[in-house]
Amino acid sequence: MKQLFTLLLLLLSVTLIAQEENSNSSEKKFAFEGSVDTYYRTNFTAPNDENHIAPGTSFADTAGFSLGMGNIIASYEKGKVGAVADLVFGPRGEAASATVLNQLFAFYNISENTKLTLGKFNTYLGYEVISPVGNFNYSTSYLFSNGPFSHTGLKADFTLSEDFSLMLGVFNQTDVTEFNPNGSYAVGAQLGYSGQYLNFLYDDAGLGFEVDYTGGFDVSDNFFLGINAAYADNDGEGFYGADLYPQYSFSDSFSLGLRGEYFQEQSEFVEDNLSVVAVTLTGSYTVEDLIIKPEFRFDSGSEDIFIDTDLMATKSLGSFVVAAIYKF
């Protein structure tokens, strides 16, 4: 791993030195944006009191009226360099990040086709993201919840052509984002082609190896199909699965989307590994900058991983969420 780390740093250094200066622009650009989200959640087939439960995925997991997070993003760019500070507050932000610093990084646009980024940034793997503004569904998938959230390190993004892109990076151990506690590193790569991305991450001290495909296609002007598939292994422990995200726009203000997921845990020590099938139907209604998302979700496990209203173990859970997301 240390040899891979050294080789990648050398590659990035050579790239930095080899690039030619394309502009002496000193134009200053400052941007400020963010979001606020809150929700109401209830179970149809399980208790909503002190015994309430939720699917084994990240965020949106408490009963009744609940808070998501406040997100404030400030960015500044002058010429070829800049920085981003992304702050999160509230339960969703606390679950996703060890501190209020969701992202904190500086960047250098070496040329029109090459960009270096150093600091903490959200992961490049997966279809979904931490901020609800970037997701169609309000609740999250099992693939998202079991993969990495963020990385701290150095990455280089290359625009190879109009269709192809490449990212190479070296990071601290996965989701250990404030400092490096043990001297171990992870390496990652992403190859993109026309909106389709093949992602790789190797972290022998943490997640292990993960390969991930994320993409989608415009079936028609109003119909989009998103796809995510991933496989992760760490000495026989890991997971794999696939998600489909069909979404249809009925108008400029209303869309309907479905997430269908199959997720399988794997372990060399367990003969029958847990699998889950989850179906989530989400509506999205936009009023100016406010997005209202009603959502029905059904999770079914291969084992009794949920409870019913009589507090008896059961394989399935039906639930409902309605969320309000304001972006500015």
Side-chain angles (χ1 to χ4, degrees), residues 46 95 100 184 186 198 215 222 323 325:
V100 299
S184 65
L198 190 60
N222 297 323
I325 306 165

Side-chain angles (χ1 to χ4, degrees), residues 6 21 49 66 79 82 116 158 167 220-221 288 292 324:
T6 304
E21 296 290 336
D49 52 21
S66 303
L116 288 183
F158 306 94
M167 186 279 293
S220 69
D221 290 341
E288 296 182 356
I292 301 172

Side-chain angles (χ1 to χ4, degrees), residues 133-145:
V133 174
N135 297 330
F136 190 92
N137 307 101
Y138 186 71
S139 67
T140 57
S141 68
Y142 287 88
L143 284 182
F144 169 81
S145 302

Side-chain angles (χ1 to χ4, degrees), residues 111-255:
S111 71
E112 292 182 355
N113 299 322
T114 305
K115 179 180 180 179
L116 288 183
T117 303
L118 177 64
K120 177 184 178 182
F121 34 82
N122 291 159
T123 188
Y124 56 96
L125 289 93
Y127 186 88
E128 300 176 14
V129 295
I130 294 171
S131 170
V133 174
N135 297 330
F136 190 92
N137 307 101
Y138 186 71
S139 67
T140 57
S141 68
Y142 287 88
L143 284 182
F144 169 81
S145 302
N146 284 272
F149 282 175
S150 300
H151 310 281
T152 294
L154 174 67
K155 66 175 181 174
D157 291 281
F158 306 94
T159 301
L160 304 180
S161 69
E162 184 176 344
D163 295 322
F164 281 98
S165 64
L166 175 67
M167 186 279 293
L168 299 173
V170 57
F171 323 114
N172 287 345
Q173 183 178 333
T174 302
D175 286 327
V176 180
T177 54
E178 308 310 313
F179 65 100
N180 191 317
N182 56 14
S184 65
Y185 293 92
V187 293
Q190 178 187 78
L191 179 64
Y193 174 72
S194 295
Q196 317 305 311
Y197 298 95
L198 190 60
N199 306 305
F200 301 92
L201 177 68
Y202 180 69
D203 177 10
D204 62 348
L207 183 66
F209 172 74
E210 181 174 355
V211 57
D212 169 274
Y213 163 69
T214 302
F217 304 91
D218 289 313
V219 181
S220 69
D221 290 341
N222 297 323
F223 182 34
F224 176 78
L225 178 63
I227 307 171
N228 185 207
Y231 172 85
D233 179 78
N234 188 3
D235 293 331
E237 303 286 326
F239 63 87
Y240 61 88
D243 289 10
L244 292 177
Y245 298 84
Q247 299 160 11
Y248 190 85
S249 297
F250 291 89
S251 68
D252 292 339
S253 60
F254 180 72
S255 300

